[in-house]
Amino acid sequence: MTARIAFCITTLETGGAERQLVELATRLPRDRFEPAVVVLSPPPRPPSDELVHKLAEHSIPVSFLGGRTIWQAPLVYRRLVNWLRDTQPDLMQCFLAHANVIGACAGHRLGIPIVAGIRVAEQRLNGHGWLQRRTAPLVERYVCLSQSVADFAKQVMRLPPEKVMVIRNGIDVARFAAIAPIDLAELGLPPGHRMLLFVGRLDPQKRPDWLLDRLPDIARKLPDHDLVIVGRGPLEHKLRRHAARLGMADRVHFALWRRDVPQIVAAADLLVLTSAAEGMPNVILEAMASAKPVVTTEVHGVVELLGVGLLGDEMLGYEMLDDGDQQITPPDDAQAFVDAVVRIATDRTLATELGKHNYARVAQVFSIDQTVENYASLYDSLLASRAAEKPASDR
């Protein structure tokens, strides 16, 4: 008999958490699980609705509850309770803070075990963190993307340690092997120019403004490299104006939302990430699967991704490059970041070696199949425990 698994998420626009939900839901073995997805917000508009279509291709039902603002939380809660009554899942997996809180309350009301996901270690504990702490008694497990996020969940969010566990993101490495790079002219780069790439939502968490402030120094030392920014968000117009003020308007290309991010990654010299907070950024996984070097600020998750240190028993004996940590710079060390970008972009041998190191690591440690099986094993364990707790007359 298959177990009905509900996946609850705040939005289904294209993003890291949303992609991981879809990968998990579509790859769970159907002889063991029957997935359904519920989204707290309205349906995403084209072209940001690719994940909705992917779920439909796998015959996974998707329901949208229509919440647009935090003030509609009581309405969304009631709609979620009604959806759960109709769907009758055996377990619900939540993604992102709003879904964690509303899902925990709705699931608890109906006696449905809840697994919540902690994906980012915020620098300070905000209202979302406080609400998740208050609803912790309603949650069976908290799945964190990295050990550093798990430590944050226990030490800063003060979630019950016995409920916190780590399941790292995974990626289908084989899918990236056959991807052809995009023609850089399609992104507006002049002939002969090469690409530095930023991919992410244009909001303060990702610090794209901090990246632009570094660009004049980088551009002087790399006259043939342009920066391509892929993503949308509330900072978009501010960033365009800022690039113009810096005199960098002709060196920055805003590609906005794109379906062909893997092709763009394949064409890049290196990927840059300047986030203030992360969990385990999917874009770095994609760069690693494409055998690309990266330069990133040191935030939660990236150390475990790039191989600066070990990941536990599964990594014992793994040999790292002597300079494997040079892809990571301190969070606010502007000069170290500029130096790392310039060093890797100008040394093709080093860039190739780092790319090989990244590919070997992602293939060995971050398999999507292992990620899915880890979630499946967790669901099996929780459902078995719940079944054992039921009186014999109810089994």
Side-chain angles (χ1 to χ4, degrees), residues 120-392:
V120 177
E122 299 283 358
Q123 288 183 311
R124 59 185 177 86
L125 190 61
N126 54 23
H128 297 154
W130 181 82
L131 286 170
Q132 289 183 93
R133 181 193 300 165
R134 292 296 299 270
T135 54
L138 314 181
V139 175
E140 296 281 345
R141 291 290 186 279
Y142 288 95
V143 175
C144 301
L145 300 189
S146 64
Q147 186 58 53
S148 55
V149 172
D151 293 341
F152 174 88
K154 290 181 283 189
Q155 297 166 9
V156 180
M157 296 179 70
R158 289 190 286 168
L159 298 178
E162 69 276 7
K163 292 186 177 184
V164 175
M165 62 180 299
V166 176
I167 298 180
R168 297 177 183 87
N169 281 351
I171 194 167
D172 184 356
V173 175
R175 184 169 71 88
F176 286 82
I179 290 177
I182 192 172
D183 184 345
L184 295 184
E186 293 184 33
L187 302 173
L189 274 71
H193 276 225
R194 295 153 63 187
M195 175 171 49
L196 308 175
L197 177 63
F198 172 94
V199 179
R201 180 167 168 76
L202 305 184
D203 67 16
Q205 176 196 331
K206 302 290 185 178
R207 298 201 306 174
D209 50 344
W210 191 90
L211 172 61
L212 285 187
D213 285 337
R214 314 283 78 80
L215 191 57
D217 286 343
I218 293 172
R220 280 193 294 271
K221 299 174 181 178
L222 299 176
D224 296 329
H225 282 77
D226 289 2
L227 174 65
V228 172
I229 295 178
V230 177
R232 307 202 74 143
L235 295 182
E236 178 185 333
H237 298 297
K238 177 182 176 181
L239 293 171
R240 289 181 181 274
R241 294 192 298 268
H242 191 39
R245 285 195 300 270
L246 292 170
M248 292 285 108
D250 61 337
R251 303 291 298 275
V252 183
H253 308 270
F254 289 88
L256 304 180
W257 187 91
R258 303 279 303 208
R259 289 186 183 274
D260 55 353
V261 172
Q263 288 80 4
I264 297 175
V265 172
D269 269 25
L270 69 114
L271 177 88
V272 293
L273 186 73
T274 52
S275 298
E278 287 287 353
M280 183 159 280
N282 285 290
V283 67
I284 290 186
L285 280 172
E286 293 189 9
M288 294 171 74
S290 300
K292 297 293 179 178
V294 306
V295 175
T296 175
T297 49
E298 185 175 355
V299 289
H300 294 85
V302 301
V303 171
E304 293 169 49
L305 273 174
L306 292 169
V308 185
L310 301 178
L311 287 182
D313 291 343
E314 76 275 19
M315 287 301 296
L316 292 178
Y318 184 82
E319 294 184 4
M320 301 210 331
L321 292 174
D322 292 338
D323 52 5
D325 61 348
Q326 65 183 292
Q327 297 179 95
I328 301 176
T329 65
D332 295 308
D333 191 333
Q335 192 59 53
F337 183 85
V338 171
D339 290 346
V341 169
V342 172
R343 180 171 60 251
I344 296 173
T346 55
D347 188 336
R348 300 247 182 149
T349 300
L350 173 61
T352 299
E353 288 302 311
L354 291 172
K356 289 179 178 178
H357 160 78
N358 291 344
Y359 180 84
R361 184 169 176 83
V362 78
Q364 180 179 358
V365 181
F366 299 101
S367 160
I368 187 62
D369 292 336
Q370 186 59 57
T371 298
V372 171
E373 184 51 38
N374 288 343
Y375 275 101
S377 297
L378 171 62
Y379 301 157
D380 283 338
S381 174
L382 292 176
L383 292 171
S385 296
R386 181 60 63 99
E389 293 171 359
K390 289 183 178 180

Side-chain angles (χ1 to χ4, degrees), residues 8-12 37-45 62-81 83 98 102:
C8 179
I9 194 165
T10 307
T11 177
L12 206 53
V37 176
V38 60
V39 185
L40 304 187
S41 61
R45 296 178 179 178
V62 185
S63 299
F64 295 90
L65 304 185
R68 296 181 183 276
T69 70
I70 191 63
W71 305 110
Q72 292 179 301
L75 173 63
V76 171
Y77 166 77
R78 291 194 296 271
R79 289 176 176 173
L80 180 57
V81 168
W83 183 86
H98 293 93
I102 295 176

